[in-house]
Amino acid sequence: MSREVEPRAAAALIAEGALAVDVRDAAELEEDGYLEGAQHVPLVELSARAGELPAGRPLVLICRSGTRSAMAAAALHASGFEAYSVGGGILAWQRDGLPVARINP
């Protein structure tokens, strides 16, 4: 079963209560913006910080293009989380006209 969802489906999951988890580094958040309310857990810290994520809540992972979030979603799913990756990442999210917050607007 694919753990990848399109941006609009991801937005619907988040609206229904899923937690957005951004696995990009801090510089990328500044450059590309981020999802309002997303928890920032860089991919390099994910295994050490997985305990901070809610086990009973779906997770929607996002990165810049979808590659790192797909790896993160697969790893979390293997650890028992209900985890999905946003196909195409924040770039596809923005192309679909979905909202992005900015650190320095």
Side-chain angles (χ1 to χ4, degrees), residues 21-93:
V21 180
D22 197 314
V23 298
R24 297 174 297 151
D25 64 40
E28 290 175 293
L29 295 180
E30 284 192 46
E31 184 177 327
D32 298 321
Y34 60 95
L35 307 187
E36 190 73 48
Q39 185 167 338
H40 181 225
V41 182
L43 184 61
V44 296
E45 299 174 15
L46 187 64
S47 61
R49 295 181 55 195
E52 297 175 21
L53 301 173
R57 186 175 173 190
L59 305 175
V60 174
L61 292 104
I62 192 164
C63 65
R64 188 161 202 271
S65 66
T67 303
R68 288 172 287 172
S69 59
M71 291 186 296
L76 288 170
H77 181 71
S79 297
F81 288 90
E82 182 182 346
Y84 304 92
S85 172
V86 177
I90 194 84
L91 298 177
W93 183 275

